[in-house]
């Protein structure tokens, strides 16, 4: 038992070596999303977008999964691994998309569309997943929607902007749940255009959680891993990044000679392009959750079983 009580850290500790020690002792794998702070990205075993992280969670042989991301990601890992311990550094690391789709309201909404199949973005709760036919992420949403015959009516939830982008990409109407990401909807079109004018040699890479008014200015639209691939492949030396700026750490590491310019939110004085939920995790909290084996993610087994079917369908379709 540690002499430092739950939630407190010895300030003289080297957190990197302590996390490495615990990772071995616990037989743990550390999965981190690209929006995590640089230190967390650097110490993780796997960094990835939502699809890659759920694929790795499905495959891991580690006994403990430490998920440096937000709650719905860790919850998905737990659903895929009911017998493993899944830890999240901060239980308050939520997501506005998941919070904006309460299961009871979603059930009432779906009652109006009885002959529709339900495609849900992975950024939702286990209860919303359990009401869905298939899950998608931003990197496979077009493919998943396109797997249904054109005459099959679809509900897409909970991100209306991602749904709108998929609709336009496939020229296919869907019923959209009216949710949004509070970070990606804060990007300002006027400021983005001003940035493009100031940097005429830059290309713009944007995440499809942004509204269409922003996406119309993008040279590339894709998931976080798609944006990273674009940064590697483009011959441009300057890239305006219209997503959470945590990803710039990897972009800069992979492309030291290129310049990455974070797109601003509504005003320069706020950090509103940083996800307040992703940023709840810190290296210290990562260490603490491993040392104290808490907070641990739990999911009601009946709900988990119902949510597993649409998650597995996504993993099958993404092979
Ligand atoms: P990706 O799957 O593109 O990493 O997106 C996750 C997310 O939450 C974006 O806001
Ligand atoms: Fe959710 Fe948006 Fe944060 Fe992604 S960036 S976790 S969608 S609030």
């Amino acid at each position: 038992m540690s002499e430092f009580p739950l939630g407190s850290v010895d300030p003289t500790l080297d957190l990197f070596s302590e996390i490495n020690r615990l990772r071995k002792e616990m037989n743990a794998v550390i999965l981190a999303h690209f929006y995590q702070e640089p230190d967390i990205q650097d110490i993780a075993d796997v960094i990835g977008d939502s699809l890659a992280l759920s694929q790795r969670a499905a495959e891991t042989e580690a006994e403990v999964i430490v998920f440096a991301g937000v709650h719905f990601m860790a919850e998905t890992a737990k659903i895929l691994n009911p017998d493993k311990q899944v830890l999240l550094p901060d239980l308050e690391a939520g997501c506005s998309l998941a919070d904006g789709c309460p299961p009871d309201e979603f059930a009432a909404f779906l009652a109006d569309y009885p002959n529709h199949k339900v495609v849900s973005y992975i950024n939702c709760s286990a209860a919303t997943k359990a009401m869905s036919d298939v899950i998608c992420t931003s990197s496979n949403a077009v493919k998943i929607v396109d797997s249904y015959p054109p005459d099959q009516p679809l509900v897409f939830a909970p991100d209306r902007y991602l749904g709108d982008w998929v609709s336009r990409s496939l020229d296919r109407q869907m019923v959209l749940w009216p949710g949004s990401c509070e970070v990606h909807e804060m990007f300002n079109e006027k400021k983005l255009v001003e940035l493009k004018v100031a940097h005429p040699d830059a290309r713009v890479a944007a995440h499809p959680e942004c509204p269409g008014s922003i996406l119309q200015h993008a040279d590339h639209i894709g998931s976080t891993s798609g944006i990273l691939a674009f940064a590697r492949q483009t011959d441009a030396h300057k890239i305006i990044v219209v997503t959470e700026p945590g990803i710039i750490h990897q972009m800069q590491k992979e492309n030291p000679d290129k310049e990455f310019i974070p797109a601003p939110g509504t005003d320069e004085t706020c950090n509103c392009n940083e996800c307040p939920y992703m940023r709840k995790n810190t290296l210290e909290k990562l260490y603490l959750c491993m040392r104290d084996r808490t907070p641990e993610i739990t999911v009601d087994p009946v709900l988990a079983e119902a949510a597993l079917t649409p998650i597995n369908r996504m993993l099958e379709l993404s092979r």
Side-chain angles (χ1 to χ4, degrees):
M1 194 56 199
S2 164
E3 62 182 290
F4 289 88
L6 273 179
S8 71
V9 178
D10 172 356
T12 63
L13 276 185
D14 173 350
L15 292 178
F16 283 95
S17 61
E18 285 301 303
I19 290 169
N20 279 329
R21 177 181 64 77
L22 286 167
R23 166 165 40 202
K24 285 195 201 98
E25 278 176 22
M26 298 162 76
N27 185 15
V29 64
I30 303 174
L31 307 180
H33 189 264
F34 292 124
Y35 297 163
Q36 293 294 285
E37 63 176 42
D39 281 348
I40 294 180
Q41 294 189 37
D42 288 345
I43 204 163
D45 296 290
V46 181
I47 30 175
D49 68 1
S50 308
L51 178 64
L53 292 176
S54 54
Q55 286 168 327
R56 292 300 286 265
E59 288 160 6
T60 187
E61 286 179 2
E63 285 169 58
V64 179
I65 298 172
V66 183
F67 215 121
V70 290
H71 188 274
F72 74 81
M73 297 178 169
E75 189 176 60
T76 303
K78 180 66 183 177
I79 292 166
L80 287 161
N81 296 279
D83 299 329
K84 291 185 179 174
Q85 185 174 45
V86 178
L87 302 169
L88 180 68
D90 190 323
L91 218 44
E92 300 285 301
C95 170
S96 64
L97 277 166
D99 294 347
C101 188
D104 51 340
E105 290 177 32
F106 192 50
F109 179 83
L110 291 182
D112 287 339
Y113 302 101
N115 53 5
H116 287 55
K117 295 286 184 195
V118 181
V119 182
S120 291
Y121 190 31
I122 197 165
N123 300 37
C124 66
S125 66
T128 296
K129 288 184 176 76
M131 285 181 258
S132 309
D133 292 287
V134 65
I135 302 306
C136 71
T137 74
S138 53
S139 62
N140 62 18
V142 170
K143 185 177 174 184
I144 299 274
V145 167
D146 203 30
S147 72
Y148 285 100
D151 58 348
Q152 171 61 57
L154 298 175
V155 168
F156 188 94
D159 187 349
R160 66 183 156 137
Y161 295 126
L162 176 65
D164 191 39
W165 173 68
V166 173
S167 274
R168 280 184 275 114
S169 305
L170 292 171
D171 193 18
R172 176 175 187 156
Q173 295 301 306
M174 298 189 287
V175 175
L176 305 179
W177 170 267
S180 59
C181 161
E182 69 179 52
V183 179
H184 287 85
E185 75 174 350
M186 290 300 276
F187 289 112
N188 181 293
E189 185 184 3
K190 185 167 171 282
K191 287 185 188 302
L192 177 59
V193 172
E194 283 168 4
L195 208 53
K196 282 184 75 160
V197 170
H199 301 278
D201 51 339
R203 302 269 159 79
V204 177
H207 197 280
E209 287 175 11
C210 296
S213 57
I214 295 290
L215 296 180
Q216 66 177 331
H217 300 289
D219 299 291
H220 172 83
I221 300 168
S223 71
T224 49
S225 55
I227 289 174
L228 263 171
F230 174 76
R232 274 192 296 275
Q233 287 153 13
T234 180
D235 52 11
H237 285 273
K238 259 188 208 175
I239 295 138
I240 298 173
V241 182
V242 199
T243 191
E244 220 278 1
I247 196 175
I248 292 177
H249 180 59
Q250 290 305 319
M251 296 174 112
Q252 204 67 77
K253 265 174 107 169
E254 288 184 9
N255 308 277
D257 300 335
K258 293 184 180 176
E259 185 185 346
F260 298 99
I261 306 167
T266 33
D267 94 66
E268 279 97 33
T269 57
C270 78
N271 282 341
C272 45
N273 60 0
E274 289 188 1
C275 174
Y277 309 103
M278 287 279 182
R279 303 290 177 141
K280 283 210 176 280
N281 297 329
T282 59
L283 195 66
E284 196 171 276
K285 288 186 202 168
L286 179 65
Y287 161 69
L288 282 172
C289 86
M290 294 173 78
R291 187 194 75 179
D292 300 333
R293 297 238 185 180
T294 187
E296 181 176 358
I297 300 293
T298 55
V299 187
D300 170 73
V302 176
L303 191 60
E305 209 184 310
L308 182 60
T309 305
I311 295 170
N312 276 339
R313 194 164 292 147
M314 170 187 80
L315 294 175
E316 283 295 315
L317 286 167
S318 306
R319 272 184 219 283

